[in-house]
Amino acid sequence: MSNRNSWRNSWGSGVGGGLSFGGTSAWGAGGGDTIFRVLSPRSPRSDRRSQIWSTFSENDVFYEDGRSVYSDRDIDHPPISKAEDWALMPDVKNYAERGEKDNFKGRKLGVTWKNLTVKGVGADAAFNENVTSQFNIPRIISEARHGPPLNTILDDNHGCVKPGEMLLVLGRPGSGCTSLLKMLANRRHGYAEVNGDVSFGSMTAKQALQFRGQIVMNTEEELFFPTLTVGQTVDFATRMKVPYHKFSDQKKDKDFQQDYRDFLMRCMGITHTETTKVGNEYVRGVSGGERKRVSIIETLATRASVFCWDNSTRGLDANTALQYTKAIRAMTDVVGLTSIVSLYQAGNGIYDLFDKVLVLDEGKEIFYGPREQARPFMEELGFICGDGANVADFLTGVTVPTERSVREGYEVCFPRNAEEIRAEYQRSTIRTEMEKEYSYPQTEEAESNTSDFKGAIKDDKHRTLPQKSPLTVSFPKQVKACVIRQYQIVWGDKPTFIIKQLATLVQSLVVGSLFYDAPDDSGGLFSKSGALFFALLYQSLMALSEVTDSFAGRPVLAKHKAFALFHPAAFCIAQIAADLPVLFFQVSQFSLVLYFMVGLKLTAAAFWVFWITLFAIAMCITAVMRAIGAAFTTFDGATKLSGFWFSALVVYSGFFIPKPQMHPWFVWIYWINPLSYGFEMLLSNEVHGQTIQCVNNNLIPNGPGYTDRAFQSCAGVQGATQGATFVTGDQYLAAFSYSHSNLWRNFGIIWAWWALFVFITIVATSNWKESAGKSGFLVVPRERVKNNQAVLRPDEESQIKEKPSVKDPLDLPSSGASSMDAKTIENQLISNTSVFTWKNLTYTVKTSQGDRVLLDNVQGWVKPGMLGALMGSSGAGKTTLLDVLAQRKTEGTINGSVLVDGRPLSVSFQRSAGYCEQLDVHEPLATVREALEFSALLRQSRGTPREEKLKYVDTIIDLLEMQDIEHTLVGKIGAGLSVEQRKRLTIGVELVSKPSILIFLDEPTSGLDGQAAFNTLRFLRKLAAVGQAVLVTIHQPSALLFKEFDTLLLLARGGKTVYFGDIGEDARTLKDYFSRNGAPCPKEVNPAEHMIDVVSGDLSQGRDWNQIWLESPEHKEVSAEVDRIIKEAASKPAGTHDDGYEFAMPLWQQMKLVTQRMNVSLYRNIDYVNNKFALHIGSALFNGFTFWMIGNRVADLQLRLFTIFNFIFVAPGVINQLQPLFIDRRDIYEIREKKSKMYSWKAFVTGLIVSEFPYLCICAVLYFAPWYYTVGFPTDSNKSGAVFFVMLFYEFIYTGIGQFIAAYAPNAVFASLVNPAIITILVSFCGVLVPYAQIQEFWRYWIYYLNPFNYLMGSILTFTVYDVEVTCGDSEFALFDTPNNQTCAEYLGSYLAGLGSRTNLINPEATSGCRVCQYRRGSDYLATLNINEYYDGWRDAAIVVIFAISSYVMVFLFMKLRTKATKKAQ
C-alpha cells in the first residue's frame, strides 16, 4: 500500500486505525503511521520532506488563499489537522503509532455518487381520509387506477468524498439534505425510486450492504431506552464493537471497551452524566443537548469508515457544536474517515473545518466543490455575503428574495432560482474539476483501499461469525450484552416491574379465595376446572402487554440494527433470558398461593406438573404476543390481531366448549392453541386416578330419604355412565377427548409452539426498518380539500421563477383572503405595561444522591418592549429557569421571589403569559387554523366576542405567513408540518391567546435553518417593538441573531449566574465586561460563541465565572436595580388587570370546545376507528360461528352462558388500543395545555369520554347484528332490543374502565399491565367461573354485587335463556331404577316437591329406568346462577347503566388524583 494510502489509517481491522485513548486505540492501531514518521524527531529532515511529498498531493489541504498547508516554509512543522487545537487531539495521535507496530490494515472507503435521482411517494399534499370519506368507493377506485404521485426529492446529484475528507451538505428544510445523507449511508428503504450510481470505495451500493456497520448515519431523532443511564447506553454500544484482533499488548476485551467508552464520554464532555437516565419527553433525564451528545457517541461507537451526520448539532450550544465538529475533523484527518455532515445554522468557525461544500435547493445541486470556492462562486453570480455573516446561511439563502442581497449592476442578470444557479454551476470550471474525482471508484487507490477495508473487517470480526455478517463480536457476546441491557431496562423501570408482581400476588390471593378449598366431589369439578383455566387465563392476560412493549422499543432496535451492533436473534434471546427469572418468580408466587388455597391434588409430583405447565404457558403466550407485535408495522394492526387471537385462544382452550362439541370449521384453532394443550395437562394432572362422587344437583334424587346410591344417578357430569353415582377421573377426561397419557406430549408441543413463535419473532425483528425515507409532505383532511386547492393543485401553466418571499409580516402586507395592512396588524397586537422580576431564585430537586440545586440565586427582569436572551451551555438550567418563572414545575422546591409589577403572581398568570415549549407538542389531527382557533377561543378573556377572537386568529395567520398551510393537518414529522412550520405554529398558538404579561420561548430556533431562525428572531423583535416583553432561551445564535437581543442572562452549569445585563450595540457592553475580566473577544469572533466558550469551553481557564460575577460592580448594580424596579412598580397601579379567573372561559364553554376538538380528531383517526370496528365485527362473527345455532339441551344452556361470557372478552383488545390514544392526548394536555391554563382537567376528561360515544354505539350494533342471530337467540323484539340495550352500555362500561386506568397510569405499558388485574377480578366474580352459591362468603356479599360483569351476564342471560324449553339429550338423563316396584312418580314424590322441583321427570308411570332431566325451562337453570325472576333481567340492565355512569365518574376521579398543582416560589 502506498504512503498516500497509509498516512491516515482506518478505525482499524479489529482495532486497526488511529484513534486512541487512555492507552488504547479506538479504531485500532495502524492509522497515522506516516504521521508519526513525519513528526518523529528520529527522522532526518530530508527523509521527512520526502515522506511528506510522497504522502500528500498538492490538492489535499489548502489554506483560505489556496496555498498548500504543506508548503516548504511550513515543512518543519506540518499541521496534520484543521482541528489541531482540539483538546483531545493528543489522545487521537499519541497511540496511533501502535497500529504501525502491529501492521493492521486500513479501513478507508470514500463515497462517490453520479446521476443520483431519488423519488418518493406523495405529492406536495396528501389526503387524510375520515370515517365517512373512506367508504367513497368510486373515488377510491379512481385514485387507485392512477397510482400515487411521485415527488422528485433529489435531482441529478453528483459528488465524491474521499477518505480523510469532510463534506458539508447545506440546504433549507425540505431541500433533500436528509435524503442525500440516507443515500450516502446506503439506506434506501421507503423511497419509491432510486436512480444513479453510489459507490463505497470500489464497491457498488448492493455490495456494500454487508458492511452496513461501517457505513452509518446519525439521524436527527434521539432514540433511546429512556430508563437506561447514559453510562449503560454507551457501555452497550461499545461492547458490541470490540474487535477480535486487539493490540499485541492488549489482552482483555473489557480493557478495550472501557477505555473506548471513557474516551467517547470525555470527547463529548458528558462524563458527569454517566449515572443519569437518558430520559425523553416524559421521563426525566439529561438535558436535550446532553441527549444529543449521547446520540453522537453511540454513532461514533460503531468505529465506522463512512459517517453521515444529519443536523447533529441540533440542541447543542455554540461551543459544544464547535467541539463536536473539531472531534469529527480530528478523527477524519488522523484515521482517514469519510465524513458527510448536514447542518443548520453552522457558524463560520464550524464551516471553516470542512473540505468541501454541497448546496442543495429543492433537491437540485446548485454547488459542489471546495469550501474555499463556494462563497466566491456565489459572489461572482452577483450575490453579496455581508461582513460577519454566516457563510453557510448565505449559501442557502441565495434563492430566497428576502434573504439575498444582490450586488449593484446585477439586478437584471443574476440567477433567480435553483435551476438557474445550477445551470451557472454546470458551466463553471469548478464543476469540471470536481468531475475528475467521479472516477475515483475505478482508481487503483480505491481498489487498494477497498481490498484493505475488506481484509480489515474480516480481521475485525469474531471467527465464529459468517463471512458476510456485518457484525463484530461473537453471538454469545451479543447475547450477553443484550441480556445485561434487558435487565437494566427492567431495573430502570422498577415501578412497572413491581406493579406486575404485586398484581400477580393479589390475583393469586383473590382467585385462591374465590375457589377456596374446592371439594373433591362433583361439586368441586367445575370449580377446580375454573381455577385451572383461570391460572392459564391470567398468564395470557399478562402477556398482552408485550404487544404494547414491542412498539415502545422498536425505533431503538431498528437504529441498532442499522449500526450492525447485534443480530436480532441476540435481542430476542435476551428478552427470553430476561423473561426467565421474572416469569419464574411470577409463576412461582402465583402457583404457591393458588394451588394450595384451591386445594388441588396434594402430591409433590402434581404440584410440579402444575408449576411447569404454567411456566411453559407463560413463556409460550409471551412469545405469541411478542411475535404478533414484531410482525406488524403499526400498533393498531397488532392490537387488532392480538385482541382477536386472545379471544380465540380463550374460547378454544377446551374450557368453554369441550372438544367434541366444537364445530368442524373452527376446530383447527384448538389444535394450534397452546392453551388447549396446557388445559389438558392441568386437568389430567388433577383428576387422573381419582374417583369423583356425584353430589347435590349432580345426583338425582338427593336429599332426605334418598340415601341408597343403588337408586340414584349422576346428572350433568361429563363422562359419567348413566345410572352410576360416580365418575372416574379418566372417564371425565375421555368426555373431553383428553388422556393423561398425553401429558408430556402436550408439554413438548407447548415448547414446540414457543420455539415457532420465537422463530417468527426473530424473522420479523430482522425485517424491522428505520422510519421510511418519504419526503416531507403536507396532509390535508379530506373534508378541507376545497380550502386547499392552492396547495394541492398549483397552476401548471404559471412558470414560477422564484421562491415566494418570506416576508417580514410587520413591514409588508400579506396576501390572501384575510390579509390586512401592516398598520392594522400592529394596532391589533396587544402591548404590555407590566414589569416581570425574579430575585434570589433557587430551585432544588431530590435525587437518589440527595438534593441537587438546578438554579442558584438567579435574579433579573424583563420589561415591556424588551427582548431578553437566556443562554448557557447544555445542562446549565435554561429550560429549568423558564419553567420555574412560568410556574410550570410540579416537583422540587422553589425559593425566592417571582413578581409582576412588584406583586405576587395572580391566579391568571399562567394563561396571561405565553410559553412556547422547546418541543412542539400539538394535536396531530387538528389543522393549523383549528389549533389557533382552539387556543384563541379558550385563552382570550371571556368578555371578548367570539367573532373578535377568530378575527385575531386571521391576524396571527397573516403575521406568521401561514395562509398556505392553515387548512393542513399538524400531523407528524414527514407527514405533516415541517420542523419550521411547527415552530411557527407553537408561537402562533401562544400569540392568539393575547398574552398580557410576557412571552417565554424555549429554543425557538432549535432545528431551524439560518434563514428560518433569523425570521423567527426578527418577528420576536417586532413583537417587542410594539410593547411585548419577550424572554428567549437560545443555543447557537449567529452574530446577526445575537444583535436582535437587548439583554442577556448567562448561566453556567448548576444554574449559576455568569452575567445579567444589557448586551449593548454590537455587544460592546458584554464584550467590555469579559474583556475587563481577562477574556477579550476577538473582533472577528461571534460574541455569543465567545462567551459560551469562556464560561464552559476551552477559554474558561478553570476560573469560577460565577464568583467573578458576584464580585463585580455589575452584580451590585443589578441587585440594586431589581429592588428599585420592584419598589417602583409596587407603588404604581398594576399594569395588568387580573380578572380573578383561573381559566379564561367558563367550564361549560371549555367542555364544548374540547369535546368538539376530540370529535374532529376521532373522526379523522381512521386507523383507531377502523381497528375498533374490525375487532367488534371479527369477534362477533367468530363468537357467532363458534356457538352456531345453539340448541335447547342441558349442555346447550352452558353454551349460551359461555357465548355471552365470551362477549366480555371484546374488552381487553379494545382497551389495549384506546389507552395509548388516551395517554397521548393526556400528555399533550399535561405538557402544554394544562400548564398554560387553557382549560380544566374536567373539560379534558369530558371531551375524551363524549367523543367516543358515537363510535361505541356503532360498535354495539356491529357486534350485536353478526352475533345475536347467528347463535340462535330469541328474535322477539322485546328480548333482542333489551339485549342490545345492555350490550350498548357494556361498551360504555369497559371504555370507562380502560380510560380510568389510563388516566392515572404513567405510561401505556404500565396501563397494559394493570388491565389484567382489573379484568380478571371482574371476570372471576361475575358468577360464571364459580356459580353464586359456591363463591366464598367473604366475597359473595360485596364484590359479587359490586361487579358490573355480574349484572351484564345476569341481564343478557335472562333475556336469552329464561323462557327456553329445555329438551334433554339421551345421554343427559339421570337414569335409575326405583325400589320396591314403585313408579317413578311415587319414588320421586318428595324430591320433586323439594330439592328437585326444577327437574323434569319424563316417565312418571314407569317402575324402572326413570328418566329425569335436570331442568324443565331455562329459568330453572338460571336459578342456579342466582337469577330467580324475569324482572331481575331489567333490574340488572338498570344497574348496568348505573355502572356505565360510575365508570366514567372513576375517570374523573383518577384524573383529579393525577393532576398536581404547579410549584410557586416560597
Side-chain angles (χ1 to χ4, degrees):
M1 186 171 69
S2 68
N3 279 339
R4 176 176 174 81
N5 291 342
S6 64
W7 85 274
R8 302 182 189 106
N9 213 333
S10 66
W11 305 75
S13 96
V15 9
L19 177 58
S20 306
F21 39 87
T24 316
S25 168
W27 296 275
D33 49 343
T34 306
I35 293 169
F36 277 88
R37 288 197 293 273
V38 169
L39 299 181
S40 171
R42 295 171 295 181
S43 303
R45 179 185 173 99
S46 59
D47 291 345
R48 289 157 59 198
R49 181 190 300 266
S50 64
Q51 285 169 345
I52 290 168
W53 287 114
S54 65
T55 302
F56 306 109
S57 72
E58 62 182 295
N59 294 321
D60 271 356
V61 188
F62 294 97
Y63 289 121
E64 290 289 342
D65 59 4
R67 173 174 51 85
S68 171
V69 296
Y70 298 104
S71 63
D72 273 339
R73 66 179 178 178
D74 293 315
I75 206 71
D76 286 327
H77 304 286
I80 64 166
S81 174
K82 295 176 185 177
E84 188 69 27
D85 60 342
W86 181 48
L88 294 182
M89 180 58 108
D91 284 8
V92 180
K93 295 191 297 184
N94 285 346
Y95 294 90
E97 195 173 22
R98 297 169 77 185
E100 179 186 1
K101 190 190 306 178
D102 290 338
N103 294 318
F104 286 116
K105 295 179 181 179
R107 292 165 62 174
K108 296 181 285 187
L109 271 184
V111 184
T112 308
W113 63 102
K114 295 183 291 186
N115 309 317
L116 182 61
T117 298
V118 177
K119 295 184 179 180
V121 175
D124 289 334
F127 296 114
N128 183 86
E129 301 295 347
N130 56 51
V131 172
T132 52
S133 72
Q134 65 177 323
F135 298 112
N136 188 334
I137 307 299
R139 194 198 63 244
I140 292 171
I141 295 172
S142 173
E143 290 179 357
R145 286 171 58 195
H146 293 97
L150 296 184
N151 251 2
T152 300
I153 302 168
L154 296 174
D155 184 11
D156 196 24
N157 276 232
H158 305 74
C160 175
V161 189
K162 296 178 182 176
E165 290 184 343
M166 286 180 69
L167 169 69
L168 176 61
V169 179
L170 296 173
R172 305 195 70 181
S175 295
C177 297
T178 299
S179 292
L180 176 61
L181 262 61
K182 284 188 174 182
M183 291 301 107
L184 303 187
N186 216 12
R187 297 185 181 189
R188 302 188 172 201
H189 168 65
Y191 293 96
E193 241 177 67
V194 179
N195 298 312
D197 300 320
V198 181
S199 301
F200 300 90
S202 61
M203 295 183 291
T204 65
K206 191 172 182 180
Q207 291 168 335
L209 284 174
Q210 73 180 80
F211 301 104
R212 70 168 186 267
Q214 294 301 310
I215 305 165
V216 300
M217 177 175 176
N218 176 252
T219 59
E220 204 169 349
E221 300 87 19
E222 286 130 33
L223 305 169
F224 299 103
F225 290 108
T227 57
L228 292 182
T229 66
V230 170
Q232 290 167 345
T233 302
V234 177
D235 192 67
F236 176 78
T238 50
R239 276 175 192 267
M240 293 303 195
K241 289 294 181 178
V242 177
Y244 183 68
H245 286 111
K246 294 172 285 298
F247 289 122
S248 54
D249 60 349
Q250 199 172 41
K251 303 301 180 188
K252 293 183 179 178
D253 290 353
K254 189 175 182 182
D255 296 337
F256 175 91
Q257 181 262 326
Q258 288 184 343
D259 287 343
Y260 185 20
R261 179 198 63 188
D262 294 343
F263 166 78
L264 291 175
M265 299 275 280
R266 285 187 291 120
C267 176
M268 287 294 122
I270 56 169
T271 50
H272 62 283
T273 66
E274 186 169 352
T275 58
T276 308
K277 286 183 179 180
V278 177
N280 60 12
E281 298 92 328
Y282 314 118
V283 177
R284 198 171 90 187
V286 295
S287 70
E290 289 165 341
R291 195 176 301 121
K292 172 57 75 176
R293 283 182 269 174
V294 177
S295 178
I296 292 168
I297 287 174
E298 199 176 42
T299 308
L300 286 173
T302 60
R303 298 172 42 249
S305 299
V306 177
F307 282 95
C308 295
W309 303 92
D310 187 17
N311 197 18
S312 297
T313 58
R314 180 182 179 183
L316 301 184
D317 61 79
N319 177 65
T320 305
L322 180 61
Q323 294 306 312
Y324 150 74
T325 314
K326 282 184 176 180
I328 302 302
R329 176 79 263 178
M331 296 170 193
T332 301
D333 286 341
V334 176
V335 184
L337 305 179
T338 301
S339 298
I340 302 153
V341 186
S342 75
L343 295 177
Y344 293 150
Q345 302 181 53
N348 288 337
I350 293 174
Y351 177 81
D352 290 340
L353 290 171
F354 288 86
D355 301 308
K356 296 176 180 177
V357 173
L358 187 154
V359 185
L360 284 174
D361 196 292
E362 297 175 347
K364 300 176 178 65
E365 188 174 285
I366 62 173
F367 178 84
Y368 165 67
R371 170 186 53 80
E372 298 84 357
Q373 298 181 31
R375 175 175 172 177
F377 170 76
M378 293 298 180
E379 289 179 328
E380 286 172 10
L381 297 180
F383 302 108
I384 300 173
C385 182
D387 294 335
N390 281 357
V391 178
D393 292 345
F394 160 69
L395 295 175
T396 57
V398 293
T399 58
V400 184
T402 52
E403 305 303 331
R404 65 191 176 205
S405 298
V406 180
R407 198 185 310 163
E408 192 175 343
Y410 282 79
E411 292 88 347
V412 177
C413 60
F414 76 91
R416 284 166 165 73
N417 56 28
E419 195 64 63
E420 292 180 8
I421 298 176
R422 180 165 70 169
E424 292 290 341
Y425 169 70
Q426 289 174 342
R427 288 193 290 268
S428 70
T429 55
I430 301 172
R431 162 73 182 256
T432 308
E433 285 299 313
M434 300 315 293
E435 280 183 336
K436 294 177 182 176
E437 295 185 337
Y438 300 164
S439 61
Y440 176 75
Q442 289 78 46
T443 63
E444 184 182 337
E445 179 185 348
E447 294 282 356
S448 174
N449 281 344
T450 306
S451 176
D452 287 344
F453 167 82
K454 290 180 178 178
I457 298 303
K458 185 178 179 182
D459 292 340
D460 208 14
K461 282 194 301 197
H462 195 274
R463 289 292 169 265
T464 58
L465 292 173
Q467 186 177 351
K468 292 191 175 182
S469 171
L471 308 174
T472 303
V473 300
S474 65
F475 188 73
K477 286 182 179 175
Q478 294 173 39
V479 172
K480 180 182 176 183
C482 287
V483 168
I484 292 170
R485 182 181 68 172
Q486 208 64 28
Y487 282 123
Q488 289 168 341
I489 291 170
V490 171
W491 188 245
D493 191 15
K494 288 189 281 291
T496 300
F497 174 76
I498 291 168
I499 192 71
K500 202 171 185 176
Q501 301 313 318
L502 283 177
T504 301
L505 179 60
V506 170
Q507 283 294 311
S508 59
L509 287 167
V510 169
V511 176
S513 62
L514 173 67
F515 297 102
Y516 183 71
D517 199 19
D520 292 330
D521 52 34
S522 65
L525 262 183
F526 190 73
S527 294
K528 287 185 177 181
S529 297
L532 298 175
F533 169 73
F534 179 84
L536 298 174
L537 175 68
Y538 183 73
Q539 306 307 323
S540 305
L541 278 168
M542 291 299 281
L544 270 177
S545 65
E546 288 298 328
V547 177
T548 309
D549 219 4
S550 171
F551 285 86
R554 179 173 299 193
V556 185
L557 300 169
K559 176 180 73 171
H560 287 171
K561 182 193 170 190
F563 285 170
L565 295 187
F566 54 85
H567 192 279
F571 168 69
C572 296
I573 291 171
Q575 282 187 308
I576 294 164
D579 288 341
L580 290 173
V582 173
L583 291 180
F584 180 91
F585 182 75
Q586 178 180 310
V587 170
S588 295
Q589 63 164 335
F590 186 86
S591 300
L592 284 168
V593 174
L594 181 73
Y595 194 89
F596 296 105
M597 285 187 73
V598 174
L600 299 176
K601 188 185 289 184
L602 292 176
T603 66
F607 174 78
W608 288 116
V609 169
F610 176 84
W611 181 90
I612 204 168
T613 303
L614 282 195
F615 183 77
I617 286 294
M619 290 290 290
C620 189
I621 302 301
T622 298
V624 170
M625 296 305 167
R626 205 169 271 162
I628 290 172
F632 279 82
T633 56
T634 65
F635 177 73
D636 284 333
T639 52
K640 199 183 300 178
L641 181 62
S642 62
F644 180 74
W645 187 237
F646 176 78
S647 297
L649 292 180
V650 169
V651 172
Y652 283 86
S653 62
F655 175 71
F656 286 141
I657 312 173
K659 161 71 172 53
Q661 295 181 35
M662 293 179 184
H663 290 295
W665 50 77
F666 279 155
V667 73
W668 56 272
I669 298 175
Y670 173 87
W671 295 114
I672 64 168
N673 184 357
L675 289 187
S676 67
Y677 297 100
F679 187 64
E680 181 178 355
M681 283 183 70
L682 293 181
L683 195 60
S684 63
N685 178 58
E686 177 61 29
V687 303
H688 171 66
Q690 293 198 13
T691 299
I692 301 149
Q693 297 293 333
C694 294
V695 295
N696 301 332
N697 290 344
N698 298 126
L699 185 65
I700 296 178
N702 66 76
Y706 299 97
T707 56
D708 190 345
R709 286 190 167 258
F711 304 104
Q712 294 174 305
S713 176
C714 288
V717 179
Q718 297 276 1
T721 305
Q722 283 188 311
T725 58
F726 65 89
V727 62
T728 66
D730 291 314
Q731 286 177 323
Y732 185 70
L733 291 173
F736 290 91
S737 297
Y738 292 164
S739 170
H740 185 258
S741 61
N742 295 337
L743 184 73
W744 295 111
R745 180 207 70 175
N746 292 347
F747 184 69
I749 290 172
I750 291 170
W751 284 108
W753 283 120
W754 170 83
L756 174 64
F757 289 117
V758 167
F759 175 75
I760 291 170
T761 306
I762 292 171
V763 172
T765 306
S766 300
N767 291 320
W768 281 357
K769 308 286 185 186
E770 286 200 281
S771 55
K774 294 180 181 177
S775 59
F777 53 88
L778 297 172
V779 181
V780 179
R782 179 65 75 173
E783 68 273 20
R784 292 276 188 271
V785 170
K786 291 180 181 178
N787 300 106
N788 280 280
Q789 293 307 313
V791 177
L792 295 168
R793 289 200 301 271
D795 183 1
E796 294 179 5
E797 294 180 7
S798 65
Q799 299 298 311
I800 299 174
K801 289 293 184 185
E802 298 187 20
K803 288 185 180 178
S805 300
V806 181
K807 305 183 188 73
D808 184 334
L810 293 177
D811 289 342
L812 298 170
S814 303
S815 59
S818 61
S819 65
M820 53 196 77
D821 60 46
K823 195 66 182 171
T824 306
I825 292 175
E826 195 164 331
N827 290 338
Q828 285 206 15
L829 287 172
I830 191 165
S831 60
N832 171 33
T833 57
S834 294
V835 181
F836 184 74
T837 60
W838 59 97
K839 185 178 179 184
N840 302 329
L841 202 59
T842 301
Y843 178 58
T844 309
V845 295
K846 295 191 180 297
T847 67
S848 56
Q849 288 86 30
D851 287 353
R852 182 178 173 190
V853 178
L854 298 182
L855 296 175
D856 190 359
N857 283 306
V858 183
Q859 58 186 354
W861 64 82
V862 186
K863 297 178 180 178
M866 175 177 142
L867 181 58
L870 176 53
M871 296 182 65
S873 60
S874 297
K878 302 182 294 297
T879 300
T880 302
L881 177 57
L882 276 198
D883 284 343
V884 169
L885 293 179
Q887 290 198 309
R888 300 294 178 103
K889 289 294 185 188
T890 57
E891 308 285 346
T893 305
I894 303 170
N895 292 302
S897 66
V898 181
L899 306 173
V900 174
D901 291 330
R903 298 166 176 82
L905 303 184
S906 66
V907 70
S908 62
F909 171 77
Q910 281 175 266
R911 64 177 171 84
S912 302
Y915 190 156
C916 299
E917 300 262 2
Q918 185 173 350
L919 299 166
D920 303 310
V921 179
H922 298 284
E923 165 58 55
L925 288 167
T927 65
V928 170
R929 173 171 282 279
E930 287 165 358
L932 295 172
E933 289 181 349
F934 184 73
S935 180
L937 291 170
L938 281 169
R939 290 180 64 185
Q940 290 188 32
S941 68
R942 60 185 67 189
T944 307
R946 179 184 174 92
E947 294 73 22
E948 190 176 318
K949 292 180 182 180
L950 297 181
K951 187 178 179 184
Y952 192 66
V953 170
D954 294 335
T955 302
I956 299 303
I957 287 174
D958 269 9
L959 271 177
L960 297 177
E961 295 293 329
M962 295 195 293
Q963 299 95 330
D964 56 335
I965 60 169
E966 63 176 305
H967 295 295
T968 62
L969 292 182
V970 175
K972 296 178 180 175
I973 299 293
L977 302 185
S978 67
V979 172
E980 187 259 347
Q981 289 166 334
R982 279 167 197 279
K983 190 62 69 178
R984 276 194 281 159
L985 177 59
T986 301
I987 295 170
V989 163
E990 295 304 315
L991 288 180
V992 293
S993 70
K994 288 192 174 180
S996 57
I997 297 176
L998 81 160
I999 302 173
F1000 299 102
L1001 298 103
D1002 191 12
E1003 301 291 350
T1005 61
S1006 184
L1008 306 185
D1009 68 308
Q1011 281 75 29
F1014 180 69
N1015 290 335
T1016 302
L1017 256 293
R1018 187 171 56 175
F1019 172 66
L1020 295 177
R1021 177 75 267 170
K1022 294 296 182 181
L1023 284 179
V1026 296
Q1028 267 295 355
V1030 185
L1031 183 60
V1032 182
T1033 67
I1034 192 161
H1035 259 317
Q1036 301 176 47
S1038 65
L1040 200 61
L1041 293 184
F1042 196 56
K1043 286 180 183 177
E1044 298 292 330
F1045 292 99
D1046 300 312
T1047 61
L1048 170 70
L1049 173 53
L1050 181 60
L1051 296 178
R1053 188 169 297 283
K1056 299 176 186 293
T1057 305
V1058 172
Y1059 178 84
F1060 177 76
D1062 290 341
I1063 294 173
E1065 190 172 346
D1066 291 327
R1068 283 200 193 97
T1069 308
L1070 181 65
K1071 288 179 180 177
D1072 289 346
Y1073 171 78
F1074 281 100
S1075 179
R1076 206 169 59 243
N1077 289 288
C1081 178
K1083 184 178 180 182
E1084 71 281 358
V1085 174
N1086 178 356
E1089 295 182 6
H1090 173 73
M1091 66 185 184
I1092 294 290
D1093 210 10
V1094 166
V1095 173
S1096 58
D1098 297 338
L1099 303 179
S1100 64
Q1101 305 161 359
R1103 301 171 68 187
D1104 185 349
W1105 284 91
N1106 173 243
Q1107 193 59 39
I1108 293 170
W1109 165 252
L1110 293 176
E1111 294 169 357
S1112 69
E1114 285 86 351
H1115 173 252
K1116 294 183 179 65
E1117 291 171 13
V1118 166
S1119 298
E1121 179 67 6
V1122 169
D1123 291 336
R1124 188 194 66 77
I1125 291 171
I1126 292 172
K1127 186 176 180 182
E1128 183 180 312
S1131 65
K1132 297 178 181 178
T1136 306
H1137 170 67
D1138 177 24
D1139 58 13
Y1141 296 116
E1142 183 180 9
F1143 301 101
M1145 298 300 289
L1147 184 60
W1148 171 245
Q1149 289 294 328
Q1150 295 173 38
M1151 287 179 173
K1152 271 176 59 179
L1153 289 166
V1154 175
T1155 302
Q1156 181 185 355
R1157 181 176 74 159
M1158 298 293 184
N1159 279 334
V1160 172
S1161 175
L1162 272 190
Y1163 181 62
R1164 292 173 179 159
N1165 193 348
I1166 58 172
D1167 283 344
Y1168 174 78
V1169 173
N1170 288 351
N1171 190 27
K1172 215 180 186 77
F1173 290 169
L1175 200 54
H1176 279 79
I1177 295 170
S1179 298
L1181 289 171
F1182 179 72
N1183 192 358
F1185 282 98
T1186 293
F1187 295 94
W1188 171 261
M1189 290 298 170
I1190 303 172
N1192 295 335
R1193 300 184 310 156
V1194 172
D1196 292 333
L1197 294 175
Q1198 196 158 359
L1199 293 182
R1200 287 173 182 259
L1201 170 73
F1202 282 143
T1203 188
I1204 297 167
F1205 186 57
N1206 195 38
F1207 168 55
I1208 287 176
F1209 289 96
V1210 75
V1214 182
I1215 288 175
N1216 268 7
Q1217 181 210 6
L1218 73 85
Q1219 285 175 333
L1221 181 73
F1222 187 102
I1223 290 170
D1224 285 347
R1225 297 293 182 271
R1226 188 194 68 193
D1227 288 339
I1228 293 171
Y1229 169 68
E1230 290 185 339
I1231 289 171
R1232 185 170 61 83
E1233 294 167 343
K1234 183 185 86 169
K1235 291 175 180 177
S1236 61
K1237 297 291 182 183
M1238 190 178 282
Y1239 55 88
S1240 165
W1241 62 269
K1242 299 167 192 167
F1244 167 75
V1245 174
T1246 303
L1248 272 172
I1249 289 173
V1250 174
S1251 61
E1252 290 274 2
F1253 284 176
Y1255 305 101
L1256 295 178
C1257 294
I1258 296 170
C1259 284
V1261 173
L1262 293 178
Y1263 199 104
F1264 175 81
W1267 167 69
Y1268 186 86
Y1269 299 103
T1270 314
V1271 294
F1273 279 163
T1275 56
D1276 310 3
S1277 59
N1278 64 326
K1279 291 185 172 62
S1280 58
V1283 170
F1284 175 75
F1285 175 80
V1286 176
M1287 289 176 68
L1288 173 61
F1289 277 90
Y1290 175 63
E1291 296 285 339
F1292 298 145
I1293 287 175
Y1294 78 71
T1295 301
I1297 291 170
Q1299 288 181 334
F1300 84 64
I1301 293 170
Y1304 200 71
N1307 53 55
V1309 174
F1310 188 95
S1312 68
L1313 290 172
V1314 175
N1315 295 336
I1318 304 292
I1319 297 292
T1320 48
I1321 286 176
L1322 296 177
V1323 163
S1324 302
F1325 291 96
C1326 70
V1328 174
L1329 294 179
V1330 181
Y1332 172 77
Q1334 294 179 29
I1335 298 176
Q1336 297 297 318
E1337 291 184 1
F1338 173 76
W1339 299 113
R1340 190 191 307 164
Y1341 297 119
W1342 67 282
I1343 199 168
Y1344 173 81
Y1345 289 105
L1346 291 176
N1347 187 348
F1349 289 6
N1350 163 35
Y1351 301 100
L1352 169 76
M1353 292 296 301
S1355 54
I1356 299 181
L1357 278 169
T1358 301
F1359 301 134
T1360 56
V1361 177
Y1362 196 89
D1363 293 332
V1364 171
E1365 296 292 337
V1366 178
T1367 305
C1368 263
D1370 287 342
S1371 60
E1372 293 175 330
F1373 285 108
L1375 192 63
F1376 52 88
D1377 294 329
T1378 61
N1380 305 322
N1381 235 11
Q1382 291 177 289
T1383 64
C1384 295
E1386 292 170 345
Y1387 174 59
L1388 296 174
S1390 59
Y1391 172 72
L1392 292 174
L1395 293 175
S1397 61
R1398 297 184 181 276
T1399 59
N1400 185 13
L1401 175 61
I1402 301 299
N1403 52 348
E1405 301 305 321
T1407 56
S1408 63
C1410 298
R1411 296 162 67 85
V1412 179
C1413 189
Q1414 256 186 303
Y1415 309 111
R1416 297 171 182 273
R1417 301 173 72 246
S1419 56
D1420 299 329
Y1421 170 68
L1422 294 181
T1424 65
L1425 302 176
N1426 197 36
I1427 302 171
N1428 299 309
E1429 302 293 341
Y1430 189 79
Y1431 67 76
D1432 287 354
W1434 285 108
R1435 178 205 65 188
D1436 290 351
I1439 296 174
V1440 166
V1441 174
I1442 294 170
F1443 270 107
I1445 296 168
S1446 64
S1447 68
Y1448 286 129
V1449 170
M1450 294 290 284
V1451 185
F1452 282 94
L1453 175 63
F1454 277 94
M1455 195 67 197
K1456 170 62 178 172
L1457 292 173
R1458 182 182 171 82
T1459 304
K1460 298 178 182 177
T1462 52
K1463 295 283 183 177
K1464 296 184 179 181
Q1466 298 176 358

